[in-house]
Amino acid sequence: MIAGIDLGTTNSLIGVMDSGFPVLIADEHERRLTPSAVRFEDDGRAVVGWEALDKREEAILSVKRLIGARIGEGPEGPFVVGRQGEPVRLRVGGRDRTPEEISAEILRALKSRAEAVLGQPVDRAVITVPAYFNDAQRTATKRAGEMAGFTVERLLPEPTAAALAFGLDRLGDQTRVAVFDLGGGTFDISILDLHDGVFHVLATHGDTKLGGDDFDHVIAAEFGISPAEAETLKKELVAGSETEQRVRRVCLPVLERTRRHCERALLDAGTTPGELGSVILVGGATRMTLVREFVEEIFQQVPDISQHPDEAVAMGAVIQAGVLEGSVQNVTLLDVTPLSLGIETFGGLMNVIIPRNSTIPIKAGEMFTNAVTNQSGMRISVLQGEREMANDNWKLGEFTVDFQPLPKGQARVGVQFEIDVNGILHVLARDTATGEDTHLALTSAIDVSDEAIEKMLADSLEHAFEDMDDRQFAEARLKAEEMLPAIETALASVDVEPGELAAIREAEATVRLALEKRSLQKLKSSLARLDDATQSLAARLMEKLMQE
């Protein structure tokens, strides 16, 4: 038996397949939702869920926002300790704990509940994560599951889970849907095609630090109350009242932050609002009338609210667990990676191996060679981003592959990237001469904020033309740096007429001047001129080599 778990910012749920149906497991008070709250007694015992909220001021809330994060990446709240740039730690219960350890307590409580109700061990799980979680956040979530005693069979993106819950009884349909998932602490927007049981994610965007918690904070500031009181106020609003108008006014700027993600997802998917069959709302924050009206305005249609906002993601996780168990048939999930991955090549260029929005799981690779004679190793710098030059992207890690010194272009190193079903990156490099493999240890994982990801995408569009110019100049510079010494070697081997030599020297001078002035167009034209000037020299050199 495999459990499906929604490890949420505000609430968490667990369920299993029972007689072919997804069922969420309730506690002894018939409550399916478990608050994602943890506090510690003086003896170190963890108290989870509703009981933890009895002393709310001592409880750790919204720990999902901290998992896989570093100090300084965003709002951190109480209990957080550590220096700038270090992984987040929380000082509670007399000692420091990681967000994974706190999350593991929530998962452990869910596991105990399921085992008590089912009367058997439950040690395998599908756990949902925001679609825009990066590699560090996904890895940390998986680690939390393992700490709780689960074998984590799959990390499932939350919008995909919601689409599963929506589409299980529509497996024969062909439609395109958007899933707008605004939970307590995270936001995701995904565009999917549903066709004959295949759930194909076309594009995904989001912000893992945007959700209902942010509404609570701005409402609390507006009315001079606590976030907990703001949450209650939000639930008890009377339509058209002065209070509701004030809440709308302060919440709209927060909600407006989702617009650019929706527009980008539509653009990446190559679709328009008119081509969508449904816009599905999930996540507790979508109960707000303001959110529903906002979504209707963006997507130009009344959103589908048929899914339970708090339970749809958990139901999808249970269905995916059923797929892995074999109890749910004819369902296939095809997810995507949100950013390009590649390596730095000679000249400081970004060589993309897996483009953004590639369907995962995916495995891709290329063969690389040594750039200079007698080179005895190759540094593999793994990059993530959308820019043409390596320095403008994020370095995830690097390692070196050693090989025997060889003439230029003779070494062969195969580099393979694999993104697994959980969205976690694995890198392998192989020296083809020896068959020896080197694996990347991701000490610096894909650990960037959502704001940085959004800026990366925006910069890639804003600087597209100059980036391409930079790339073309770098490639032309490499050609020039290769040609100039080669010409000197050829001139030392073959006699040339004075007039031909003068033409070659003049063309060389224009190449060097173009390099100095960093002029792409002049470098291109001067290289073409140098090509023409050395045609006869190259022919005579080839003839001599053939004779030898």
mmCIF file with all atom_site columns, all heavy atoms in Angstrom, residues 92-106:
data_model
loop_
_atom_site.group_PDB
_atom_site.id
_atom_site.type_symbol
_atom_site.label_atom_id
_atom_site.label_alt_id
_atom_site.label_comp_id
_atom_site.label_asym_id
_atom_site.label_entity_id
_atom_site.label_seq_id
_atom_site.pdbx_PDB_ins_code
_atom_site.Cartn_x
_atom_site.Cartn_y
_atom_site.Cartn_z
_atom_site.occupancy
_atom_site.B_iso_or_equiv
_atom_site.pdbx_formal_charge
_atom_site.auth_seq_id
_atom_site.auth_comp_id
_atom_site.auth_asym_id
_atom_site.auth_atom_id
_atom_site.pdbx_PDB_model_num
ATOM 1   N N   . VAL A 1 92  ? 14.284 25.303 18.566 1.00 0.00 ? 92  VAL A N   1
ATOM 2   C CA  . VAL A 1 92  ? 13.062 24.941 19.293 1.00 0.00 ? 92  VAL A CA  1
ATOM 3   C C   . VAL A 1 92  ? 13.332 23.702 20.140 1.00 0.00 ? 92  VAL A C   1
ATOM 4   O O   . VAL A 1 92  ? 14.198 22.894 19.810 1.00 0.00 ? 92  VAL A O   1
ATOM 5   C CB  . VAL A 1 92  ? 11.880 24.648 18.334 1.00 0.00 ? 92  VAL A CB  1
ATOM 6   C CG1 . VAL A 1 92  ? 11.337 25.908 17.716 1.00 0.00 ? 92  VAL A CG1 1
ATOM 7   C CG2 . VAL A 1 92  ? 12.300 23.657 17.252 1.00 0.00 ? 92  VAL A CG2 1
ATOM 8   N N   . GLY A 1 93  ? 12.599 23.570 21.227 1.00 0.00 ? 93  GLY A N   1
ATOM 9   C CA  . GLY A 1 93  ? 12.731 22.389 22.063 1.00 0.00 ? 93  GLY A CA  1
ATOM 10  C C   . GLY A 1 93  ? 14.129 22.205 22.621 1.00 0.00 ? 93  GLY A C   1
ATOM 11  O O   . GLY A 1 93  ? 14.578 21.074 22.827 1.00 0.00 ? 93  GLY A O   1
ATOM 12  N N   . GLY A 1 94  ? 14.846 23.323 22.835 1.00 0.00 ? 94  GLY A N   1
ATOM 13  C CA  . GLY A 1 94  ? 16.163 23.243 23.446 1.00 0.00 ? 94  GLY A CA  1
ATOM 14  C C   . GLY A 1 94  ? 17.301 22.929 22.510 1.00 0.00 ? 94  GLY A C   1
ATOM 15  O O   . GLY A 1 94  ? 18.439 22.795 22.948 1.00 0.00 ? 94  GLY A O   1
ATOM 16  N N   . ARG A 1 95  ? 17.027 22.812 21.213 1.00 0.00 ? 95  ARG A N   1
ATOM 17  C CA  . ARG A 1 95  ? 18.123 22.560 20.270 1.00 0.00 ? 95  ARG A CA  1
ATOM 18  C C   . ARG A 1 95  ? 17.752 23.055 18.871 1.00 0.00 ? 95  ARG A C   1
ATOM 19  O O   . ARG A 1 95  ? 16.598 23.392 18.604 1.00 0.00 ? 95  ARG A O   1
ATOM 20  C CB  . ARG A 1 95  ? 18.481 21.071 20.225 1.00 0.00 ? 95  ARG A CB  1
ATOM 21  C CG  . ARG A 1 95  ? 17.426 20.159 19.627 1.00 0.00 ? 95  ARG A CG  1
ATOM 22  C CD  . ARG A 1 95  ? 17.909 18.733 19.617 1.00 0.00 ? 95  ARG A CD  1
ATOM 23  N NE  . ARG A 1 95  ? 16.997 17.795 18.993 1.00 0.00 ? 95  ARG A NE  1
ATOM 24  C CZ  . ARG A 1 95  ? 16.978 17.511 17.694 1.00 0.00 ? 95  ARG A CZ  1
ATOM 25  N NH1 . ARG A 1 95  ? 17.792 18.139 16.879 1.00 0.00 ? 95  ARG A NH1 1
ATOM 26  N NH2 . ARG A 1 95  ? 16.123 16.616 17.211 1.00 0.00 ? 95  ARG A NH2 1
ATOM 27  N N   . ASP A 1 96  ? 18.765 23.080 17.993 1.00 0.00 ? 96  ASP A N   1
ATOM 28  C CA  . ASP A 1 96  ? 18.525 23.502 16.612 1.00 0.00 ? 96  ASP A CA  1
ATOM 29  C C   . ASP A 1 96  ? 18.007 22.325 15.801 1.00 0.00 ? 96  ASP A C   1
ATOM 30  O O   . ASP A 1 96  ? 18.512 21.196 15.920 1.00 0.00 ? 96  ASP A O   1
ATOM 31  C CB  . ASP A 1 96  ? 19.818 24.021 15.977 1.00 0.00 ? 96  ASP A CB  1
ATOM 32  C CG  . ASP A 1 96  ? 20.259 25.346 16.570 1.00 0.00 ? 96  ASP A CG  1
ATOM 33  O OD1 . ASP A 1 96  ? 19.530 25.866 17.446 1.00 0.00 ? 96  ASP A OD1 1
ATOM 34  O OD2 . ASP A 1 96  ? 21.316 25.849 16.168 1.00 0.00 ? 96  ASP A OD2 1
ATOM 35  N N   . ARG A 1 97  ? 17.016 22.609 14.961 1.00 0.00 ? 97  ARG A N   1
ATOM 36  C CA  . ARG A 1 97  ? 16.448 21.577 14.087 1.00 0.00 ? 97  ARG A CA  1
ATOM 37  C C   . ARG A 1 97  ? 16.330 22.144 12.674 1.00 0.00 ? 97  ARG A C   1
ATOM 38  O O   . ARG A 1 97  ? 16.155 23.346 12.488 1.00 0.00 ? 97  ARG A O   1
ATOM 39  C CB  . ARG A 1 97  ? 15.064 21.134 14.591 1.00 0.00 ? 97  ARG A CB  1
ATOM 40  C CG  . ARG A 1 97  ? 15.057 20.616 16.017 1.00 0.00 ? 97  ARG A CG  1
ATOM 41  C CD  . ARG A 1 97  ? 13.635 20.419 16.521 1.00 0.00 ? 97  ARG A CD  1
ATOM 42  N NE  . ARG A 1 97  ? 13.598 20.294 17.992 1.00 0.00 ? 97  ARG A NE  1
ATOM 43  C CZ  . ARG A 1 97  ? 13.601 19.144 18.641 1.00 0.00 ? 97  ARG A CZ  1
ATOM 44  N NH1 . ARG A 1 97  ? 13.633 18.016 17.967 1.00 0.00 ? 97  ARG A NH1 1
ATOM 45  N NH2 . ARG A 1 97  ? 13.587 19.124 19.969 1.00 0.00 ? 97  ARG A NH2 1
ATOM 46  N N   . THR A 1 98  ? 16.389 21.260 11.689 1.00 0.00 ? 98  THR A N   1
ATOM 47  C CA  . THR A 1 98  ? 16.242 21.688 10.298 1.00 0.00 ? 98  THR A CA  1
ATOM 48  C C   . THR A 1 98  ? 14.762 21.680 9.923  1.00 0.00 ? 98  THR A C   1
ATOM 49  O O   . THR A 1 98  ? 13.953 20.988 10.550 1.00 0.00 ? 98  THR A O   1
ATOM 50  C CB  . THR A 1 98  ? 16.996 20.743 9.356  1.00 0.00 ? 98  THR A CB  1
ATOM 51  O OG1 . THR A 1 98  ? 16.382 19.431 9.417  1.00 0.00 ? 98  THR A OG1 1
ATOM 52  C CG2 . THR A 1 98  ? 18.463 20.625 9.739  1.00 0.00 ? 98  THR A CG2 1
ATOM 53  N N   . PRO A 1 99  ? 14.397 22.438 8.871  1.00 0.00 ? 99  PRO A N   1
ATOM 54  C CA  . PRO A 1 99  ? 13.013 22.378 8.395  1.00 0.00 ? 99  PRO A CA  1
ATOM 55  C C   . PRO A 1 99  ? 12.598 20.956 7.998  1.00 0.00 ? 99  PRO A C   1
ATOM 56  O O   . PRO A 1 99  ? 11.427 20.594 8.151  1.00 0.00 ? 99  PRO A O   1
ATOM 57  C CB  . PRO A 1 99  ? 13.014 23.316 7.185  1.00 0.00 ? 99  PRO A CB  1
ATOM 58  C CG  . PRO A 1 99  ? 14.108 24.291 7.476  1.00 0.00 ? 99  PRO A CG  1
ATOM 59  C CD  . PRO A 1 99  ? 15.168 23.477 8.176  1.00 0.00 ? 99  PRO A CD  1
ATOM 60  N N   . GLU A 1 100 ? 13.563 20.159 7.517  1.00 0.00 ? 100 GLU A N   1
ATOM 61  C CA  . GLU A 1 100 ? 13.237 18.764 7.181  1.00 0.00 ? 100 GLU A CA  1
ATOM 62  C C   . GLU A 1 100 ? 12.803 17.984 8.425  1.00 0.00 ? 100 GLU A C   1
ATOM 63  O O   . GLU A 1 100 ? 11.870 17.168 8.370  1.00 0.00 ? 100 GLU A O   1
ATOM 64  C CB  . GLU A 1 100 ? 14.441 18.058 6.550  1.00 0.00 ? 100 GLU A CB  1
ATOM 65  C CG  . GLU A 1 100 ? 14.895 18.646 5.226  1.00 0.00 ? 100 GLU A CG  1
ATOM 66  C CD  . GLU A 1 100 ? 16.055 19.591 5.401  1.00 0.00 ? 100 GLU A CD  1
ATOM 67  O OE1 . GLU A 1 100 ? 15.861 20.642 6.042  1.00 0.00 ? 100 GLU A OE1 1
ATOM 68  O OE2 . GLU A 1 100 ? 17.154 19.292 4.897  1.00 0.00 ? 100 GLU A OE2 1
ATOM 69  N N   . GLU A 1 101 ? 13.494 18.220 9.534  1.00 0.00 ? 101 GLU A N   1
ATOM 70  C CA  . GLU A 1 101 ? 13.135 17.518 10.779 1.00 0.00 ? 101 GLU A CA  1
ATOM 71  C C   . GLU A 1 101 ? 11.738 17.914 11.249 1.00 0.00 ? 101 GLU A C   1
ATOM 72  O O   . GLU A 1 101 ? 10.963 17.076 11.709 1.00 0.00 ? 101 GLU A O   1
ATOM 73  C CB  . GLU A 1 101 ? 14.167 17.825 11.867 1.00 0.00 ? 101 GLU A CB  1
ATOM 74  C CG  . GLU A 1 101 ? 15.529 17.201 11.633 1.00 0.00 ? 101 GLU A CG  1
ATOM 75  C CD  . GLU A 1 101 ? 16.520 17.588 12.717 1.00 0.00 ? 101 GLU A CD  1
ATOM 76  O OE1 . GLU A 1 101 ? 16.996 18.736 12.713 1.00 0.00 ? 101 GLU A OE1 1
ATOM 77  O OE2 . GLU A 1 101 ? 16.807 16.735 13.575 1.00 0.00 ? 101 GLU A OE2 1
ATOM 78  N N   . ILE A 1 102 ? 11.404 19.205 11.122 1.00 0.00 ? 102 ILE A N   1
ATOM 79  C CA  . ILE A 1 102 ? 10.071 19.665 11.517 1.00 0.00 ? 102 ILE A CA  1
ATOM 80  C C   . ILE A 1 102 ? 9.021  19.048 10.591 1.00 0.00 ? 102 ILE A C   1
ATOM 81  O O   . ILE A 1 102 ? 7.980  18.556 11.045 1.00 0.00 ? 102 ILE A O   1
ATOM 82  C CB  . ILE A 1 102 ? 9.990  21.203 11.479 1.00 0.00 ? 102 ILE A CB  1
ATOM 83  C CG1 . ILE A 1 102 ? 11.099 21.827 12.335 1.00 0.00 ? 102 ILE A CG1 1
ATOM 84  C CG2 . ILE A 1 102 ? 8.617  21.668 11.909 1.00 0.00 ? 102 ILE A CG2 1
ATOM 85  C CD1 . ILE A 1 102 ? 11.045 21.465 13.797 1.00 0.00 ? 102 ILE A CD1 1
ATOM 86  N N   . SER A 1 103 ? 9.305  19.078 9.290  1.00 0.00 ? 103 SER A N   1
ATOM 87  C CA  . SER A 1 103 ? 8.371  18.488 8.324  1.00 0.00 ? 103 SER A CA  1
ATOM 88  C C   . SER A 1 103 ? 8.206  16.998 8.569  1.00 0.00 ? 103 SER A C   1
ATOM 89  O O   . SER A 1 103 ? 7.110  16.440 8.398  1.00 0.00 ? 103 SER A O   1
ATOM 90  C CB  . SER A 1 103 ? 8.872  18.740 6.897  1.00 0.00 ? 103 SER A CB  1
ATOM 91  O OG  . SER A 1 103 ? 8.960  20.122 6.622  1.00 0.00 ? 103 SER A OG  1
ATOM 92  N N   . ALA A 1 104 ? 9.301  16.340 8.968  1.00 0.00 ? 104 ALA A N   1
ATOM 93  C CA  . ALA A 1 104 ? 9.233  14.907 9.255  1.00 0.00 ? 104 ALA A CA  1
ATOM 94  C C   . ALA A 1 104 ? 8.281  14.611 10.409 1.00 0.00 ? 104 ALA A C   1
ATOM 95  O O   . ALA A 1 104 ? 7.606  13.571 10.431 1.00 0.00 ? 104 ALA A O   1
ATOM 96  C CB  . ALA A 1 104 ? 10.623 14.358 9.560  1.00 0.00 ? 104 ALA A CB  1
ATOM 97  N N   . GLU A 1 105 ? 8.194  15.524 11.391 1.00 0.00 ? 105 GLU A N   1
ATOM 98  C CA  . GLU A 1 105 ? 7.260  15.326 12.500 1.00 0.00 ? 105 GLU A CA  1
ATOM 99  C C   . GLU A 1 105 ? 5.813  15.333 11.992 1.00 0.00 ? 105 GLU A C   1
ATOM 100 O O   . GLU A 1 105 ? 4.975  14.543 12.444 1.00 0.00 ? 105 GLU A O   1
ATOM 101 C CB  . GLU A 1 105 ? 7.455  16.414 13.563 1.00 0.00 ? 105 GLU A CB  1
ATOM 102 C CG  . GLU A 1 105 ? 8.806  16.404 14.261 1.00 0.00 ? 105 GLU A CG  1
ATOM 103 C CD  . GLU A 1 105 ? 9.004  15.196 15.172 1.00 0.00 ? 105 GLU A CD  1
ATOM 104 O OE1 . GLU A 1 105 ? 8.058  14.399 15.349 1.00 0.00 ? 105 GLU A OE1 1
ATOM 105 O OE2 . GLU A 1 105 ? 10.126 15.040 15.706 1.00 0.00 ? 105 GLU A OE2 1
ATOM 106 N N   . ILE A 1 106 ? 5.507  16.233 11.053 1.00 0.00 ? 106 ILE A N   1
ATOM 107 C CA  . ILE A 1 106 ? 4.163  16.274 10.470 1.00 0.00 ? 106 ILE A CA  1
ATOM 108 C C   . ILE A 1 106 ? 3.881  14.977 9.712  1.00 0.00 ? 106 ILE A C   1
ATOM 109 O O   . ILE A 1 106 ? 2.823  14.356 9.876  1.00 0.00 ? 106 ILE A O   1
ATOM 110 C CB  . ILE A 1 106 ? 4.027  17.480 9.522  1.00 0.00 ? 106 ILE A CB  1
ATOM 111 C CG1 . ILE A 1 106 ? 4.260  18.780 10.295 1.00 0.00 ? 106 ILE A CG1 1
ATOM 112 C CG2 . ILE A 1 106 ? 2.661  17.489 8.844  1.00 0.00 ? 106 ILE A CG2 1
ATOM 113 C CD1 . ILE A 1 106 ? 4.426  20.015 9.408  1.00 0.00 ? 106 ILE A CD1 1
#
